[in-house]
């Protein structure tokens, strides 16, 4: 019987591997929070029997047999745990669209020159050939040229909801009357002026992104070859986009079949163990603890000393409730840390968020971390710093699962009030648990959803989910030509009707005058 089980196991294993596809993963942007989702996707696909060759900016934490790090792009700047308060303020002075188009776009496209990528372009592997490309959808759409060169479908992966310049890639409908773009924090029903601003802001961002990233045409010609389609043409060859969103958090919206929601895909327990000392501290926090992290880039210790002192004083007041803080460089913290606060340069976030003694999460509002907290039913105190963090936290405040603070105008009273609300108002925790249940409750979990649609495109071709809107101009999609025609018909009809009425009136008037004239003559 034992031998039979082994035989069945190996047969099943061989069958799994024989059905796997060869996938090229292109995740070249140096954003650690983005890569968390992409790494989870690649590892999950590898476990399902697919072979992944990866072009990334980060080494995998735990490499798997089915994943080959084809290229690990050398870092141009250290972003992980290295952005100070002053650098963050500098980032805020620029437009998000410019940052995405340049830092996350044109600069990333320069990696097309790397020898390993050049070899992939000019000497592609054919034993076996690639079946599909998974590519980050952010700013570097130049990498869509790989799909053209290898003649295989491209599947986009977005670590956030789609930006204004992404929807047209798959013909995704935009209803700007009810849906603000995700660079704006309009979370309630928009009034007239907000709708107007939403339209103008969306048009500006699209035009400006296309203007800035038009440079990628030159990069494609320089590093890949002449006579290739433009980046605007190449990006429209994307078959579908796996989007890190899901309607319980992001709201109801019209989407095309090529917009696949896989929000929370990265929320996967790797079955690792907590460090014994940390586990002991968490278990012994019988009065509960708060977890505090500003993600994978921001250095909390670099914040102005008056803000850090507000944290210190407010945290000391909630003792015996403890606070666990992720601090990349603990030696840079000013003295005076309360005794109920524990600090560490690295913490296993998902394990901590799942701990039974956790009361709340203080966060900058990054999408990955807040999705993890929501999945675990944990309420939040949000202190947004930049990008989509503001709309994320505003959305969570509206759903009654978070309290928002403004770091620029933070006072000790504000911090005290937020801590007391999140700790002692049970509404936040109850609502967070309910929203977490809704977020997790779906017909297929995110990774299985992603796997199904990836295989669907490989089996049925790159145009299997292509929207008819892709073949229309924007004015045709908006039915402006139809409205113009109907308006013209209406105007012509009114004009002809008016002319006929006037003619008839003239005829009647002439007849009446003639009768009057005849009557006068008869007299």
């Amino acid at each position: 019987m034992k031998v039979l089980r082994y035989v069945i196991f190996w047969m099943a294993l061989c069958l799994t591997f024989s059905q796997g596809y060869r996938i090229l993963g292109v995740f070249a942007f140096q954003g650690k929070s983005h890569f968390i989702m992409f790494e989870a996707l690649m590892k999950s696909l590898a476990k399902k029997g697919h072979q992944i060759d990866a072009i990334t900016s980060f080494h995998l934490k735990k490499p798997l047999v089915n994943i080959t790090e084809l290229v690990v792009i050398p870092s141009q700047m250290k972003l992980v745990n290295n952005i100070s308060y002053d650098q963050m303020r500098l980032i805020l002075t620029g437009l998000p669209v410019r940052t995405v188009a340049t830092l996350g776009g044109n600069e990333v496209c320069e990696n097309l020159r790397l020898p390993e990528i050049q070899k992939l372009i000019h000497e592609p592997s054919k034993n076996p050939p690639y079946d599909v490309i998974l590519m980050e959808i952010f700013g570097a759409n130049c990498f869509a040229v790989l799909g053209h060169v290898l003649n295989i479908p491209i599947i986009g992966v977005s670590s956030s909801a789609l930006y204004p310049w992404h929807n047209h890639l798959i013909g995704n409908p935009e209803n700007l009357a009810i849906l603000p773009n995700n660079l704006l924090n309009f979370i309630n029903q928009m009034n007239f002026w907000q709708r107007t601003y939403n339209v103008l802001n969306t048009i500006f961002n699209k035009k400006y992104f296309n203007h800035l990233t038009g440079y990628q045409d030159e990069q494609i010609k320089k590093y890949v070859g002449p006579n290739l389609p433009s980046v605007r043409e190449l990006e429209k060859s994307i078959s579908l986009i796996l989007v890190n969103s899901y309607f319980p958090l992001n709201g109801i919206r019209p989407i095309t079949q090529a917009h696949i929601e896989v929000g929370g895909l990265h929320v996967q327990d790797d079955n690792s163990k907590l460090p014994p000392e940390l586990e002991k501290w968490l278990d012994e926090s019988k009065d509960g603890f708060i977890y505090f992290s500003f993600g994978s880039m921001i250095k909390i210790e670099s914040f102005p000393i008056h803000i850090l002192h507000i944290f210190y004083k407010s945290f000391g007041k909630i003792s015996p409730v403890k606070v666990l803080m992720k601090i990349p460089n603990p030696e840079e913290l000013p003295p005076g840390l309360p005794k109920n606060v524990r600090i560490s340069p690295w913490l296993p976030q998902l394990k901590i968020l799942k701990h039974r003694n956790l009361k709340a999460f203080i966060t900058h509002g990054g999408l990955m971390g807040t999705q993890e907290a929501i999945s675990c039913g944990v309420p939040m105190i949000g202190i947004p710093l930049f990008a989509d963090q503001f709309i994320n936290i505003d959305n969570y405040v509206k759903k009654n699962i978070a309290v928002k603070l403004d770091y620029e105008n933070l006072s000790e009273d504000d911090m005290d009030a937020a801590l007391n609300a999140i700790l002692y108002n049970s509404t936040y925790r109850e609502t967070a648990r309910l929203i977490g249940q809704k977020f997790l409750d779906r017909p297929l979990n995110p990774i299985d959803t992603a796997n199904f649609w990836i295989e669907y495109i490989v089996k049925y071709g790159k145009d299997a989910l292509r929207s008819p809107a892709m073949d229309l101009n924007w004015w045709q999609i908006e039915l402006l030509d139809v409205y113009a025609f109907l308006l013209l018909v209406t105007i012509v009809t009114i004009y002809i009707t008016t002319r006929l009425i006037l003619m008839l009136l003239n005829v009647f008037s002439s007849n009446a005058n003639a009768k009057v004239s005849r009557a006068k003559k008869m007299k």
Side-chain angles (χ1 to χ4, degrees):
M1 182 62 71
K2 185 179 292 187
V3 174
L4 180 61
R5 283 201 298 268
Y6 278 121
V7 170
I8 294 173
F9 170 78
W10 284 110
M11 287 178 65
L13 187 63
C14 291
L15 183 62
T16 298
F17 277 77
S18 68
Q19 291 179 332
Y21 294 118
R22 191 174 186 201
I23 299 172
L24 177 63
V26 183
F27 305 111
F29 175 60
Q30 294 177 356
K32 184 64 175 178
S33 59
H34 294 218
F35 188 68
I36 290 171
M37 176 186 180
F38 308 145
E39 181 180 28
L41 175 62
M42 288 190 290
K43 286 188 172 183
S44 297
L45 292 173
K47 289 177 182 178
K48 290 180 178 294
H50 301 297
Q51 174 65 48
I52 317 292
D53 287 354
I55 298 173
T56 74
S57 289
F58 300 95
H59 286 287
L60 301 176
K61 291 180 181 178
K62 296 179 181 179
L64 294 177
V65 174
N66 277 16
I67 301 181
T68 301
E69 292 181 342
L70 198 65
V71 185
V72 178
I73 295 170
S75 175
Q76 300 299 314
M77 62 177 70
K78 185 181 178 184
L79 297 176
V80 178
N81 293 330
N82 200 48
I83 295 183
S84 68
Y85 178 87
D86 292 335
Q87 289 171 324
M88 179 197 72
R89 299 281 298 170
L90 187 61
I91 292 172
L92 286 172
T93 61
L95 292 170
V97 61
R98 183 174 181 83
T99 302
V100 174
T102 53
L103 180 63
N106 299 345
E107 292 183 22
V108 176
C109 289
E110 285 297 316
N111 292 303
L112 285 169
R113 76 183 190 280
L114 295 178
E116 301 93 334
I117 298 180
Q118 286 292 302
K119 183 177 180 181
L120 176 67
I121 292 169
H122 299 293
E123 302 174 30
S125 174
K126 296 181 180 179
N127 189 27
Y130 290 108
D131 296 295
V132 68
I133 291 176
L134 299 183
M135 183 185 90
E136 177 175 14
I137 299 300
F138 191 53
N141 295 339
C142 59
F143 281 98
V145 74
L146 297 176
H148 180 82
V149 170
L150 300 176
N151 194 28
I152 54 176
I154 303 168
I155 292 176
V157 188
S158 176
S159 61
S160 67
L162 296 184
Y163 286 102
W165 50 87
H166 289 154
N167 286 292
H168 76 282
L169 304 185
I170 52 174
N172 203 50
E174 288 181 294
N175 190 327
L176 298 177
I178 60 172
L179 299 173
N181 75 61
N182 65 340
L183 296 175
L184 302 176
N185 59 346
F186 299 156
I187 59 172
N188 297 310
Q189 184 174 350
M190 293 181 287
N191 60 35
F192 172 79
W193 297 112
Q194 288 173 326
R195 284 185 281 119
T196 302
Y197 185 77
N198 185 35
V199 170
L200 296 176
N201 183 269
T202 300
I203 293 172
F204 168 78
N205 278 294
K206 288 180 180 179
K207 297 294 184 184
Y208 195 34
F209 178 84
N210 288 347
H211 167 71
L212 293 173
T213 56
Y215 174 64
Q216 293 178 21
D217 289 344
E218 297 179 30
Q219 294 172 299
I220 290 169
K221 290 178 182 177
K222 180 179 179 180
Y223 299 124
V224 185
N227 304 319
L228 288 168
S230 69
V231 69
R232 300 284 83 89
E233 295 174 277
L234 290 168
E235 64 189 11
K236 288 188 178 181
S237 65
I238 293 168
S239 298
L240 66 84
I241 303 178
L242 303 171
V243 184
N244 189 24
S245 65
Y246 196 50
F247 71 88
L249 292 186
N250 300 90
I252 305 297
R253 60 190 58 219
I255 56 175
T256 182
Q257 275 74 17
H259 180 288
I260 308 298
E261 292 196 307
V262 292
L265 181 147
H266 67 290
V267 185
Q268 300 180 38
D269 196 337
D270 60 3
N271 296 317
S272 61
K273 300 291 184 181
L274 285 166
E277 186 182 356
L278 175 60
E279 185 174 26
K280 182 174 182 292
W281 187 89
L282 297 177
D283 291 342
E284 291 177 351
S285 301
K286 300 300 183 183
D287 294 293
F289 71 94
I290 291 175
Y291 173 51
F292 187 177
S293 171
F294 276 171
S296 61
M297 296 192 296
I298 301 298
K299 296 170 63 178
I300 297 176
E301 62 274 22
S302 69
F303 272 56
I305 194 165
H306 76 274
I307 294 180
L308 294 176
H309 280 162
I310 288 172
F311 291 151
Y312 284 11
K313 292 176 183 177
S314 293
F315 292 163
K317 294 176 187 176
I318 62 173
S319 182
V321 176
K322 298 179 182 179
V323 180
L324 178 63
M325 296 181 70
K326 175 183 175 291
I327 303 294
N329 298 293
E331 66 278 2
E332 295 181 16
L333 277 177
L337 196 69
K339 293 182 179 179
N340 64 324
V341 178
R342 177 189 174 105
I343 59 176
S344 176
W346 174 85
L347 291 166
Q349 182 159 287
L350 188 56
K351 291 287 185 185
I352 291 168
L353 290 171
K354 285 185 173 183
H355 198 277
R356 62 184 180 278
N357 290 337
L358 180 65
K359 297 292 186 182
F361 179 29
I362 301 177
T363 172
H364 63 316
L367 185 59
M368 298 296 174
T370 55
Q371 284 181 338
E372 291 175 356
I374 289 165
S375 297
C376 299
V378 177
M380 294 170 277
I381 294 176
I383 310 176
L385 306 176
F386 54 82
D388 64 344
Q389 296 162 13
F390 291 93
I391 192 169
N392 291 341
I393 295 301
D394 285 342
N395 188 28
Y396 303 150
V397 169
K398 181 182 177 183
K399 294 183 184 299
N400 215 21
I401 59 175
V403 177
K404 181 182 178 181
L405 293 174
D406 179 2
Y407 75 93
E408 290 188 292
N409 301 297
L410 186 65
S411 69
E412 189 176 336
D413 289 341
D414 292 336
M415 193 74 222
D416 290 346
L419 287 169
N420 286 325
I422 211 74
L423 286 172
Y424 304 116
N425 185 341
S426 60
T427 301
Y428 290 103
R429 176 164 290 275
E430 292 168 2
T431 309
R433 285 174 178 166
L434 177 60
I435 296 293
Q437 289 174 0
K438 292 173 67 176
F439 185 64
L440 296 175
D441 192 1
R442 51 187 98 181
L444 203 62
N445 68 47
I447 186 57
D448 287 335
T449 300
N451 187 69
F452 173 85
W453 289 110
I454 290 170
E455 293 182 351
Y456 188 93
I457 290 297
V458 175
K459 286 188 289 187
Y460 300 115
K462 63 180 182 180
D463 293 332
L465 300 176
R466 181 181 173 84
S467 169
M470 300 288 287
D471 302 317
L472 299 176
N473 294 306
W474 67 269
W475 43 270
Q476 292 172 310
I477 294 172
E478 300 296 336
L479 292 175
L480 295 186
D481 54 343
V482 175
Y483 295 145
F485 171 74
L486 294 176
L487 179 61
L488 179 61
V489 169
T490 302
I491 292 172
V492 170
T493 301
I494 292 172
Y495 175 77
I496 292 173
T497 303
T498 302
R499 295 292 296 176
L500 287 172
I501 291 171
L502 290 174
M503 289 173 61
L504 290 171
L505 289 175
N506 287 334
V507 170
F508 292 147
S509 177
S510 298
N511 291 338
N513 291 336
K515 288 180 181 179
V516 170
S517 297
R518 286 196 298 268
K520 287 181 178 179
K521 288 178 181 180
M522 290 175 68
K523 289 180 179 178

